[in-house]
Amino acid sequence: SNPFEVKVNRQKFDILGRKTKNDVGLPGVSRSKAIKKRNQTLLKEYKEREKTNVFKDKRFGEYNTKITPEEKMIRRFTLERQQNYGKKNIYNLNEDEELTHYGQSLAEIEKLNDIVDSDSDTEERGTLSAELTAAHFGGGGGLLRKKVSSEQQDEEEEKPKSRKELIEEMIAKSKQEKQERQTRRESALELTEKLDKDWKEIQTLIAHKTPKSERKDKEAEKPKPDEYDMIVRELGFEMKAKPSERLKTEEELAKEEQARLQKLEADRLRRMRGIDEEANKKRPSHMSADDLADGFILDKDDRRLLSYKDGKINIENEEEEEEEEGEEEEEEEGEEEDNENEEESQEESAGEDEEDDPADGHSDLESDLESEGEAAENKEEKKHKANENKSQNVEKLDPKREAAKSELPYTFAVPESYETFKSLLAGRTIEQQLTILERIQKCNHPSLAVGNKAKLEKLFGFLLEYIGELATLDLPELRTIDKLVLPLYNLCQMFPEAASDSIKFILRDAAHDLEEVIEVRGRATFPGLDTLIYLKIVSLLFPTSDFWHPVVTPAFVYMSQLLTKCRITTLQDVIKGLFICCLFLEYVSLSRRFVPELINFLLGVLHISLPKNQAQGYTVVHPFTPVGKNLELLLVCDQEDLKSWEKQNVPLSIVTRLNETSRTEINHTRLSCLALCFDLIKKCAVLYESLPSFHEIMHPVRILLTQHMPINEYPEKMQEWYHSALKELENKVKHYTPLICEKKKPVPLKQYTPKIVKVLEFGKKQAGSKKEQERKQLIQRHKRELKGAIREIRKDNQYLARMQLSEIMERDAARKRKVKELLGSLATQEGEWKAMKRKKWKN
Amino acid sequence: QLPPGLYKKVLVILHDSVLPYMNEPTLMMDFLTVAYGIGGAISLLALNGLFILIHQHNLEYPDFYKKLYSLLDPSIYHVKYRARFFHLTDLFLSSSHLPAYLVAAFIKRLARLALTAPPEALLMILPFICNLFRRHPACRVLVHRPGGPADMSEDPYVMEEKEPSESRALQSSLWEIQSLQNHYHPDVAKAAAVLNQSLSEMEDDISGLLELSASELFDREVKKKAVDVPLEFEQVRGLFGKKNDIFAEHFSLD
């Protein structure tokens, strides 16, 4: 292009590798471009600034350049035809569209008028027909005329109809058709309306009556339920389980389960090593991938639902129906509530029906006895229960009703305080308690209402407290606790934080109690059975192998305190201590962590089973003493008792009621404890064999076992325990490898070469993290855009000012011109006038 | 010549309410030596008065370290006067002029006894041992023996030996600490793992750890805030329903 139009932006320094966009500029070209663009946009806008009317071109495809003109024309033509097509039929009488006047069809009005006219004509006009008048008044001529007229008629018939007649005929016909259609339609409408009305009347009746009628049907059936009915009902039940997905084969299920367990196990190992505790703070929660977190936990076979047989609880495993039942139960709950509401409103009106209810229930029971199909049975039972629940509202007292009141309701509110919780469970059997807890959980699932989460979290605390109370009874209800841990586990899975908090709270209380006792009395005693149970529950609810765990680690510390601080004065203490030893072993069974207190305690227990004043090759530590009072607690000298001893499991309740048992039994318990101790030592040996100082750890125990144990006096069974323990202790290879420190990472020397940083963009600051950089970039871009926008606006303003100026100039020029013209014309006028004057004056 | 209870009472207050006010503290010399020789808790308590005499009154006590060494038995980690004892032991072993074999014997013995110690004592003794290593770099062979024999069938250290010089502690390694790295308490395991790495130059301050009690330890654990609580994934089947439950073998629910 023209070198005079080019502006070169001179570079101060030549930098290799830098590409510049703006080294050459064409100011003239770009300015003209900008002006052109403004002419098209800004100027237009400016000129139309006070105009509101807009011209819109709606011609089809006018501005569409993609369509060829021919095609455009064709399309326009078709459009036109389409538009005109409907309008053709305006004058067609057969057309469906109706013209109306005051909401009435015009055609109808017309017709009615016609009919009315003709009718009124005939009726009002004295009821005399033409023939009659002719006959009466026409005289003889009447006949004649008649003849003529008949002839005329004939003629008329014969001669071809004129065009006008034809048209009239056509019109009449079409009108008739139209009327017919209309009447048909109206009648149909009327009929449907009537039907609707009737239906509505009936419907109310049906709504109330149907359940009753059904029930009556059932009644009729029930007395003689034959096989066919049962099969039908069974089939009906089976159909309810709809297959939603392809059922997985057992292999697949097993594989999935295995994969899930493997993942969980890997997780557990990771936590056990405690490596990434800091690195990976956010550990994945312990749930399976396909857990919907909806609180439905798929139990295998341990969830039992309540069912009744002949009024007694039917404790059978009903694995097959469990799931179905769960769903149905919820559905039924909803329905039932509805029914109840209805029934309340209906109570007075249907008093008779109500009286049938108990009988109804009774018949159900009878049929239950006979029925064998479980599905049918369940259904009946549920109906039975539902009925009885419903009849709770009714005041009439009946033995049946009384029984019904003791049945479990379906919905439970979460108890607000521990007292209400206790009263809810009081007097119920274990199964009933479980059912109550399950229902509470289901009715108050967190997804159903906002406050439910907090309520259920509280429930966990109540349940724990309840368990503790059961354990502190004189006769601890351990069987109940055994079952109650299931809902506890489920609740814990739902609310881990709350559960851990409440268990921590209990542990803290127990630890503080212990501390207080130590401060006041100088020595501590073992806590009650409830604390032991709590510690056991911890191991059920939480993974005990973790390197650190918010609940398990405090539990560890607490148990360690128990084993080191509590005095051993009675056999119960020994049993409790051994229980805690078992707990320790269970806690570390996976992680194989070393528990010094455990070994100490077992050594002490062995020590107190020896006669006094044995030569020592070992030292027992606190709480045991080498000399002093509480020795020989486990020593049994009675030969009879030694002989009659059989290894038996130590009942836990012995902790609270040992005094009542006989001497022989006490001796037997002692021996059982000793056997337990041997077994624990054996387990410890297996667990710790990998520790480098295994022999040093087990040294005192080994010495005691080999040198001081009067093993020959013990029965054979005991000797077996003893030898198996000793074998584990002795056949370990001694193996020591000198320790070597991990190599220190060499500290890198300081270097003086320049630090090389990757340059991503010139002129940009590279420092800061990626986020910071991004932020800076954004800020800069915003700045740039703002500047550009301001520049554009400024240019727009300049352009507009220019335009306004040119307008004004134009206007001024025009005015000047006009003024000049006027002045010119005036001057000529003046000139002419003066010339005239001069002429006149000359003349 | 006194009943043990009275002995203890006297010795507890002797060092700061009796000795400073005596004109001739050296008169207590015989009393303290006898008490030191009795053994057990009384020896531990006598140590304090003895220390003042040695330190301020130029008492020459033959075989002091041997006596101190023989005081170390499993009960030192369990007794009430643990804090006082270890405070003094720390002082006695702080001299850098002690022979390496002696310090090594002390380290080895303390470590061996630590195998029966409760966690609160372990949390104290592990930094204590670390400090000893820092003061006596010659003892580091106990944790770092690169050129030693690959395999040994016996621990060279002789636990029963009364004489520290005869205990062959320098030929041994601290396998006890390695075992403690598997301790159930996470803090203990971490403290034991420190000895795996080469130690930093600065000594740990153990004065705060000396008085650590079990209940403090518990409170510390309970107060820790957890981000989330891992749960047991094995479905519960009852109180004793776990796989291979030890309880099911030995206890019944009756």
Side-chain angles (χ1 to χ4, degrees):
Chain A
S1 59
N2 187 355
F4 291 104
E5 284 178 358
V6 174
K7 185 179 181 281
V8 178
N9 292 324
R10 197 174 59 85
Q11 297 279 304
K12 269 187 183 167
F13 310 104
D14 265 345
I15 296 171
L16 211 65
R18 179 193 272 190
K19 278 177 193 161
T20 45
K21 277 188 285 185
N22 308 318
D23 50 352
V24 177
L26 297 168
V29 174
S30 58
R31 192 175 300 139
S32 75
K33 247 189 219 165
I35 288 172
K36 217 181 197 172
K37 202 177 170 191
R38 288 206 171 83
N39 275 340
Q40 278 169 2
T41 55
L42 193 61
L43 188 65
K44 239 182 200 169
E45 225 174 281
Y46 177 69
K47 277 182 177 162
E48 286 170 2
R49 66 190 184 278
E50 275 151 4
K51 289 172 182 148
T52 47
N53 289 340
V54 186
F55 183 77
K56 262 190 195 167
D57 192 353
K58 278 183 147 184
R59 283 174 297 173
F60 177 81
E62 181 62 23
Y63 300 103
N64 198 342
T65 49
K66 281 174 192 167
I67 308 170
T68 57
E70 288 87 42
E71 206 180 334
K72 208 185 282 179
M73 300 321 286
I74 291 168
R75 298 277 285 278
R76 278 182 193 175
F77 182 66
T78 49
L79 262 180
E80 200 183 318
R81 291 291 290 267
Q82 275 172 359
Q83 277 169 355
N84 288 341
Y85 174 71
K87 283 173 189 168
K88 256 187 186 171
N89 299 341
I90 284 181
Y91 301 106
N92 189 354
L93 289 167
N94 276 328
E95 167 212 27
D96 284 339
E97 200 175 293
E98 261 186 304
L99 299 174
T100 55
H101 178 67
Y102 286 118
Q104 282 173 306
S105 159
L106 273 183
E108 205 174 329
I109 291 168
E110 228 176 311
K111 214 170 294 155
L112 279 176
N113 285 346
D114 279 355
I115 292 162
V116 166
D117 278 350
S118 64
D119 281 350
S120 59
D121 276 351
T122 50
E123 278 164 355
E124 279 169 26
R125 277 186 213 152
T127 68
L128 290 177
S129 71
E131 277 176 7
L132 258 179
T133 44
H136 284 269
F137 302 111
L143 283 172
L144 238 180
R145 215 190 285 169
K146 194 188 174 183
K147 212 179 185 178
V148 171
S149 67
S150 67
E151 268 172 30
Q152 270 179 342
Q153 272 181 347
D154 286 351
E155 269 174 289
E156 269 178 328
E157 275 170 25
E158 276 162 24
K159 93 177 168 198
K161 285 167 188 168
S162 70
R163 197 181 125 79
K164 201 186 168 191
E165 277 170 342
L166 267 174
I167 289 172
E168 273 175 1
E169 210 174 313
M170 245 171 62
I171 289 173
K173 220 184 247 172
S174 72
K175 273 184 180 172
Q176 205 183 344
E177 259 175 41
K178 200 171 171 181
Q179 202 193 356
E180 270 171 23
R181 256 187 289 130
Q182 217 151 9
T183 46
R184 236 182 289 145
R185 201 162 51 188
E186 259 170 29
S187 65
L189 240 162
E190 221 165 83
L191 274 175
T192 46
E193 254 173 41
K194 200 185 165 204
L195 197 63
D196 275 354
K197 222 165 77 184
D198 286 357
W199 167 246
K200 261 177 208 160
E201 278 171 17
I202 296 166
Q203 204 183 20
T204 49
L205 291 176
I206 286 173
H208 297 307
K209 285 274 164 67
T210 33
K212 299 272 155 68
S213 64
E214 271 178 15
R215 226 179 283 165
K216 263 171 194 165
D217 288 349
K218 289 256 165 68
E219 263 176 74
E221 274 176 33
K222 271 158 204 165
K224 39 170 183 174
D226 60 14
E227 242 176 285
Y228 175 74
D229 278 348
M230 303 239 314
I231 290 168
V232 166
R233 257 184 272 166
E234 239 173 278
L235 281 176
F237 246 88
E238 274 170 19
M239 290 306 281
K240 280 208 170 173
K242 279 184 227 154
S244 55
E245 277 175 26
R246 181 178 72 92
L247 276 180
K248 284 167 181 157
T249 61
E250 267 178 38
E251 285 168 37
E252 278 176 318
L253 279 178
K255 214 184 254 178
E256 255 177 39
E257 180 67 12
Q258 198 189 359
R260 191 180 72 90
L261 285 180
Q262 270 174 358
K263 190 179 158 279
L264 291 173
E265 181 65 18
D267 245 11
R268 189 191 66 72
L269 281 176
R270 193 170 47 69
R271 277 183 279 124
M272 182 172 103
R273 293 191 197 107
I275 303 162
D276 46 3
E277 217 183 15
E278 260 75 59
N280 190 5
K281 279 264 177 182
K282 229 186 172 180
R283 285 167 289 185
S285 67
H286 227 66
M287 293 203 164
S288 76
D290 44 11
D291 195 337
L292 298 170
D294 55 359
F296 274 94
I297 292 155
L298 198 74
D299 298 351
K300 271 140 222 158
D301 51 357
D302 36 22
R303 190 179 59 157
R304 279 184 196 161
L305 275 177
L306 196 58
S307 65
Y308 295 91
K309 202 164 196 173
D310 196 15
K312 280 177 192 163
I313 299 151
N314 183 8
I315 314 165
E316 281 175 17
N317 278 347
E318 300 162 349
E319 294 104 334
E320 300 98 359
E321 288 94 26
E322 269 177 7
E323 296 217 2
E324 280 180 19
E325 267 183 75
E327 287 164 15
E328 276 162 34
E329 237 175 32
E330 290 196 339
E331 284 171 15
E332 257 185 48
E333 275 167 28
E335 285 172 12
E336 202 186 312
E337 281 176 7
D338 290 352
N339 284 347
E340 274 177 355
N341 291 341
E342 265 180 41
E343 209 148 315
E344 274 171 11
S345 64
Q346 226 190 350
E347 225 168 47
E348 286 137 317
S349 64
E352 291 175 354
D353 284 345
E354 289 287 336
E355 280 185 356
D356 288 344
D357 265 353
D360 196 350
H362 196 65
S363 69
D364 273 348
L365 275 178
E366 282 175 355
S367 70
D368 276 354
L369 278 175
E370 289 162 357
S371 69
E372 283 164 22
E374 262 189 316
E377 189 180 294
N378 279 338
K379 194 176 176 181
E380 303 270 19
E381 278 159 7
K382 249 179 258 151
K383 201 157 249 138
H384 166 204
K385 276 194 274 181
N387 280 342
E388 291 197 331
N389 281 331
K390 277 185 222 158
S391 60
Q392 280 190 353
N393 307 351
V394 188
E395 298 282 295
K396 291 178 186 173
L397 287 173
D398 221 307
K400 269 284 165 202
R401 293 263 163 79
E402 293 267 84
K405 276 194 176 163
S406 70
E407 296 290 334
L408 300 178
Y410 271 84
T411 51
F412 288 94
V414 181
E416 290 297 323
S417 69
Y418 178 59
E419 278 67 35
T420 47
F421 177 75
K422 219 168 81 179
S423 62
L424 196 64
L425 293 186
R428 307 274 191 191
T429 60
I430 300 172
E431 278 76 15
Q432 278 176 324
Q433 291 182 4
L434 283 183
T435 318
I436 290 174
L437 287 170
E438 193 183 331
R439 285 182 188 161
I440 289 179
Q441 265 181 66
K442 274 192 181 153
C443 298
N444 299 284
H445 194 270
S447 60
L448 297 178
V450 183
N452 279 350
K453 189 165 178 262
K455 283 185 194 167
L456 282 183
E457 285 172 355
K458 253 196 219 161
L459 182 69
F460 183 86
F462 296 153
L463 198 54
L464 265 186
E465 208 175 330
Y466 185 62
I467 286 175
E469 197 161 297
L470 286 180
T472 43
L473 291 176
D474 280 342
L475 211 63
E477 292 188 33
L478 293 166
R479 297 268 168 215
T480 315
I481 296 174
D482 190 33
K483 291 283 176 298
L484 283 179
V485 291
L486 301 180
L488 205 62
Y489 177 80
N490 292 344
L491 279 173
C492 181
Q493 295 284 329
M494 282 164 92
F495 315 108
E497 275 82 19
S500 77
D501 281 348
S502 43
I503 290 189
K504 259 156 85 174
F505 187 75
I506 284 173
L507 283 178
R508 200 171 54 209
D509 272 3
H512 285 177
D513 285 351
L514 188 76
E515 197 185 350
E516 258 173 45
V517 172
I518 291 176
E519 269 176 22
V520 173
R521 282 201 270 163
R523 61 203 165 93
T525 48
F526 275 102
L529 189 57
D530 52 337
T531 315
L532 302 184
I533 296 288
Y534 284 138
L535 288 171
K536 175 68 189 156
I537 285 173
V538 167
S539 80
L540 293 176
L541 299 185
F542 302 104
T544 49
S545 61
D546 287 13
F547 186 69
W548 181 80
H549 190 282
V551 181
V552 177
T553 310
F556 261 127
V557 178
Y558 178 59
M559 292 197 302
S560 143
Q561 282 189 57
L562 290 183
L563 284 194
T564 50
K565 296 274 163 65
C566 295
R567 280 287 174 85
I568 311 288
T569 51
T570 59
L571 186 54
Q572 282 105 311
D573 290 342
V574 176
I575 293 169
K576 282 176 182 172
L578 285 175
F579 188 90
I580 292 170
C581 286
C582 286
L583 277 174
F584 255 130
L585 260 183
E586 192 192 4
Y587 274 37
V588 298
S589 60
L590 286 169
S591 55
R592 307 182 139 228
R593 298 199 181 283
F594 174 45
V595 187
E597 293 87 338
L598 175 60
I599 310 288
N600 292 346
F601 194 87
L602 291 177
L603 182 71
V605 170
L606 288 180
H607 178 68
I608 57 172
S609 74
L610 299 177
K612 270 185 201 175
N613 301 325
Q614 285 274 347
Q616 303 261 317
Y618 58 91
T619 4
V620 289
V621 294
H622 205 77
F624 299 95
T625 46
V627 285
K629 280 188 285 182
N630 300 308
L631 290 175
E632 301 186 345
L633 260 179
L634 285 183
L635 184 65
V636 180
C637 299
D638 197 333
Q639 287 301 318
E640 285 296 307
D641 293 345
L642 277 174
K643 278 207 183 101
S644 62
W645 176 73
E646 280 283 324
K647 165 76 175 119
Q648 63 202 9
N649 289 354
V650 183
L652 278 181
S653 51
I654 208 169
V655 169
T656 50
R657 52 164 182 86
L658 187 66
N659 303 332
E660 300 151 26
T661 46
S662 71
R663 207 182 142 66
T664 316
E665 265 180 68
I666 289 178
N667 275 341
H668 283 174
T669 313
R670 281 176 178 159
L671 288 172
S672 293
C673 284
L674 196 57
L676 167 59
C677 191
F678 284 140
D679 189 46
L680 289 184
I681 281 172
K682 184 182 141 199
K683 286 200 163 77
C684 284
V686 173
L687 206 60
Y688 294 144
E689 62 176 322
S690 60
L691 288 183
S693 44
F694 171 76
H695 292 280
E696 282 75 33
I697 293 167
M698 289 300 182
H699 179 70
V701 177
R702 199 167 56 237
I703 286 186
L704 193 150
L705 284 184
T706 50
Q707 295 178 8
H708 302 293
M709 206 57 155
I711 193 60
N712 294 328
E713 294 167 20
Y714 287 122
E716 267 184 36
K717 280 267 180 189
M718 187 66 91
Q719 289 190 19
E720 268 175 40
W721 289 104
Y722 167 81
H723 285 300
S724 65
L726 201 60
K727 211 177 108 199
E728 281 298 331
L729 282 185
E730 298 213 310
N731 66 359
K732 296 285 180 313
V733 195
K734 287 195 176 182
H735 182 76
Y736 297 92
T737 331
L739 295 181
I740 290 177
C741 277
E742 284 169 21
K743 264 192 188 145
K744 214 197 240 175
K745 249 191 194 169
V747 182
L749 290 175
K750 273 191 182 166
Q751 304 208 320
Y752 295 101
T753 47
K755 191 182 174 191
I756 295 171
V757 182
K758 206 177 169 190
V759 177
L760 300 167
E761 223 177 320
F762 283 101
K764 295 280 177 302
K765 275 169 195 153
Q766 305 294 332
S769 67
K770 204 176 172 189
K771 223 174 179 181
E772 185 67 17
Q773 273 182 0
E774 248 170 45
R775 203 176 144 267
K776 272 182 186 166
Q777 232 172 8
L778 270 182
I779 287 174
Q780 217 206 342
R781 203 178 293 165
H782 171 254
K783 218 172 172 181
R784 203 163 51 199
E785 291 295 318
L786 188 71
K787 268 185 182 172
I790 289 172
R791 197 163 50 226
E792 285 299 304
I793 288 171
R794 205 170 276 153
K795 277 183 182 166
D796 279 356
N797 277 333
Q798 282 170 0
Y799 176 82
L800 273 183
R802 223 166 29 235
M803 282 297 133
Q804 279 167 352
L805 183 69
S806 69
E807 244 175 44
I808 290 168
M809 298 270 271
E810 232 170 73
R811 252 197 336 255
D812 283 359
R815 189 167 164 270
K816 248 181 204 165
R817 202 187 65 238
K818 277 182 185 166
V819 168
K820 233 182 195 170
E821 263 174 29
L822 282 177
L823 282 179
S825 72
L826 278 179
T828 47
Q829 220 176 340
E830 184 85 359
E832 275 171 13
W833 182 69
K834 273 185 180 164
M836 288 268 283
K837 210 178 170 184
R838 224 180 287 139
K839 236 184 228 171
K840 231 187 243 177
W841 192 61
K842 262 183 189 169
N843 291 340
Chain B
Q1 69 257 40
L2 292 171
L6 191 60
Y7 242 128
K8 279 186 191 170
K9 273 183 191 162
V10 170
L11 287 172
V12 164
I13 53 165
L14 189 70
H15 66 100
D16 59 28
S17 13
V18 180
L19 279 182
Y21 306 104
M22 285 176 78
N23 288 330
E24 285 282 328
T26 38
L27 289 176
M28 295 302 293
M29 207 156 52
D30 289 333
F31 172 73
L32 284 172
T33 347
V34 169
Y36 190 49
I38 287 177
I42 295 170
S43 298
L44 296 185
L45 291 172
L47 203 57
N48 211 335
L50 215 51
F51 169 70
I52 290 173
L53 290 186
I54 293 171
H55 184 60
Q56 291 165 5
H57 303 283
N58 286 326
L59 176 71
E60 191 76 27
Y61 196 95
D63 290 339
F64 177 78
Y65 281 102
K66 188 185 162 193
K67 211 62 187 287
L68 187 65
Y69 183 72
S70 64
L71 270 184
L72 301 178
D73 73 337
S75 63
I76 51 162
Y77 290 121
H78 297 268
V79 289
K80 251 196 281 180
Y81 313 108
R82 190 184 66 210
R84 183 196 277 224
F85 175 73
F86 278 100
H87 172 69
L88 290 173
T89 317
D90 195 33
L91 276 179
F92 294 140
L93 292 177
S94 59
S95 160
S96 56
H97 296 295
L98 293 175
Y101 75 86
L102 183 75
V103 180
F106 267 99
I107 290 175
K108 187 68 186 168
R109 195 169 179 88
L110 285 173
R112 178 65 63 86
L113 297 177
L115 287 176
T116 60
E120 61 270 19
L122 286 173
L123 281 177
M124 179 269 298
I125 198 65
L126 286 168
F128 186 92
I129 289 175
C130 287
N131 282 350
L132 288 183
F133 276 122
R134 288 188 184 107
R135 285 172 207 158
H136 306 280
C139 295
R140 289 202 182 168
V141 285
L142 282 179
V143 286
H144 183 61
R145 193 188 299 278
D151 222 11
M152 285 185 269
S153 63
E154 275 291 337
D155 191 346
Y157 174 71
V158 189
M159 180 77 171
E160 289 75 23
E161 182 59 55
K162 296 275 180 208
E163 185 62 50
S165 56
E166 303 289 312
S167 65
R168 299 170 66 204
L170 271 176
Q171 292 156 43
S172 179
S173 279
L174 274 187
W175 292 291
E176 290 84 2
I177 303 296
Q178 207 186 13
S179 303
L180 286 177
Q181 285 167 11
N182 263 328
H183 195 269
Y184 67 89
H185 198 285
D187 293 348
V188 174
K190 272 186 210 160
V194 167
L195 278 168
N196 265 353
Q197 276 103 38
S198 43
L199 293 166
S200 59
E201 293 300 313
M202 286 291 289
E203 284 195 13
D204 293 325
D205 180 28
I206 60 162
S207 56
L209 295 168
L210 284 172
E211 304 270 1
L212 191 68
S213 74
S215 52
E216 278 172 44
L217 204 62
F218 180 84
D219 285 344
R220 218 162 65 178
E221 284 304 327
V222 160
K223 274 174 194 148
K224 272 187 194 168
K225 282 272 173 281
V227 182
D228 78 331
V229 187
L231 292 173
E232 178 65 52
F233 56 82
E234 197 186 323
Q235 175 73 39
V236 170
R237 280 191 203 80
L239 205 52
F240 295 165
K242 271 194 164 182
K243 261 187 279 172
N244 312 324
D245 203 303
I246 309 165
F247 295 91
E249 285 177 41
H250 297 291
F251 291 100
S252 67
L253 284 171
D254 296 317

